[in-house]
Amino acid sequence: MELLQLMQLISIALELVVITLGYKIATEKKKEFGWLILLTFTIYAFYDFALLFHFEISLITLRLLFYVATI
């Protein structure tokens, strides 16, 4: 496995941890911003998965999703 692929997998794993934390913040702590954290990092994780596994999604669509998550 290439170093960049390994780093991307580690990044995805960390994003999944943040997704879980966002869910816990939203459901257990009853904080609405937890849902925004969950949504943002779900988009980031999807973006990374799509690039790593070469999903058939246009690069423009992926960049737009990344932009939306960043906002």
Side-chain angles (χ1 to χ4, degrees):
M1 179 176 286
E2 200 176 296
L3 180 60
L4 289 177
Q5 287 178 329
L6 178 61
M7 289 174 58
Q8 198 164 19
L9 284 174
I10 292 169
S11 174
I12 291 168
L14 292 172
E15 289 163 351
L16 293 175
V17 168
V18 175
I19 289 167
T20 303
L21 292 174
Y23 180 78
K24 286 185 172 227
I25 290 169
T27 58
E28 293 176 11
K29 304 280 187 185
K30 306 289 189 226
K31 303 288 184 181
E32 291 185 21
F33 65 85
W35 294 115
L36 295 175
I37 292 169
L38 182 140
L39 176 64
T40 298
F41 283 88
T42 299
I43 293 171
Y44 285 149
F46 177 78
Y47 176 86
D48 287 340
F49 265 114
L51 290 179
L52 185 63
F53 297 110
H54 308 290
F55 290 180
E56 292 189 23
I57 299 173
S58 72
L59 192 56
I60 293 171
T61 302
L62 286 175
R63 288 182 178 167
L64 183 61
L65 281 172
F66 191 88
Y67 179 73
V68 167
T70 302
I71 290 175

